[in-house]
Amino acid sequence: MNSARQRLIFALDVDNLADARGLDDRLPGHVGVFKIGKQLFTRCGPEVVRLVQERGGEGFLDLKYHDIPNTVAMAGLEALRLGVRMFNVHALGGFEMMAKLVAAVDEVCPRGNPDRPILLAVTTLTSSTEETLRQVGIDRPISVMVPKLARLAKDAGMDGVVASPQEVGLIRDVCGDDFLVVTPGVRPAFASQDDQQRITTPADALRSGADYLVIGRPISAAADPALAADMILQEMQDALAE
C-alpha cells in the first residue's frame, strides 16, 4: 500500500488544534500527506504543521497565495522554512508572480534538494462552474482555462497544478507527463458529493493520470476514519496495479 499511501493527501479541514490532533493520532500509517487549509492555519498557525511532522506526516500548506510577486515569494520562503512537503498559489496571479516565487525558492533550496517543497498552482477551484466564472468576467470555458493556466504555471517553473480530475487529460496534453497534478474533488463511491461540482472516484482519478488525490470528508466524517482511509487506499492500489 505504500505507493497509494504516498499519493493520498488527507484534508485536515477542522477548526481547532484538538480536533486536528485527534485525527492526526488516528491516521499516521494510513495517509502520507496532511493538507492544512486557511481556517486551521489562521487559528493555529505553524503549530499545526509541527503537529503533523511530529507524528511522522508531511504537510501540504493549502493557503493559495495570490498577491503581488514579492509578497508571494516571501511567503513561499516561509513555507519552505516550515518544512512542508508542498504548498500552492493561484495561477491567476500570473506568470511574474509564479516565476518570482520559483526564483526565490531556487536560490535558497535548489532543485534536487530533498528539502525543497513541491510548488503547485491552483487552476480553477473544483467548486467553480462556468456560470460562477462568468460572474467574475471569465468567459472562456473551464476546458480552455484550466490547460491555459497549467501551461502558464509550467512555463513559470512551477512543479505542478491543483485541478479537478476531470481536467487531468487536458493538462497532460499541454504539460506532459512530468508535470504533477494534484486533484481535489475526489469522492469514493461510499461518500456524498458535498459542495464539490467536478468530482470523480479515486480509481478513475488515478487512471486519468493524477499524481496525488486530496480527500477530506469521506475520511474525517466516517465512523472509523482509519478504516475509511484504508478502503480508499485499497481502491487506489487496485487502480495502480492495473
Side-chain angles (χ1 to χ4, degrees), residues 165-183:
Q166 296 182 11
E167 283 97 47
V168 175
L170 298 173
I171 294 167
R172 291 282 176 237
D173 287 344
V174 298
C175 295
D177 293 334
D178 60 344
F179 193 62
L180 296 175
V181 182
V182 177
T183 58

Side-chain angles (χ1 to χ4, degrees), residues 15-33:
D15 63 4
N16 62 77
L17 199 61
D19 287 347
R21 185 178 289 110
L23 285 166
D24 203 45
D25 284 341
R26 285 180 281 179
L27 290 173
H30 303 270
V31 174
V33 182

Side-chain angles (χ1 to χ4, degrees), residues 82-163:
L82 278 177
V84 297
R85 179 74 180 105
M86 55 183 72
F87 68 89
N88 58 13
V89 306
H90 266 295
L92 283 170
F95 179 88
E96 182 184 356
M97 183 196 80
M98 292 187 284
K100 187 153 190 176
L101 166 66
V102 172
V105 172
D106 280 347
E107 185 174 353
V108 176
C109 193
R111 293 180 189 275
N113 188 316
D115 294 328
R116 180 188 172 89
I118 295 170
L119 309 183
L120 299 168
V122 176
T123 54
T124 303
L125 297 174
T126 53
S127 60
S128 295
T129 64
E130 292 186 358
E131 175 57 30
T132 61
L133 292 180
R134 281 193 291 271
Q135 289 171 0
V136 296
I138 298 175
D139 294 327
R140 294 185 179 184
I142 288 172
S143 60
V144 172
M145 284 300 299
V146 169
K148 177 180 177 65
L149 291 169
R151 184 69 221 188
L152 187 70
K154 182 173 184 178
D155 290 346
M158 300 293 285
D159 299 308
V161 291
V162 180

Side-chain angles (χ1 to χ4, degrees), residues 5 8-12 19-34 55 57 215-216 219-220 224-230 233:
R5 187 178 300 114
L8 175 59
I9 301 173
F10 171 60
L12 196 56
D19 287 347
R21 185 178 289 110
L23 285 166
D24 203 45
D25 284 341
R26 285 180 281 179
L27 290 173
H30 303 270
V31 174
V33 182
F34 291 75
R55 285 158 172 76
I215 302 178
I219 296 174
S220 61
D224 185 338
L227 177 60
D230 284 345
L233 287 173

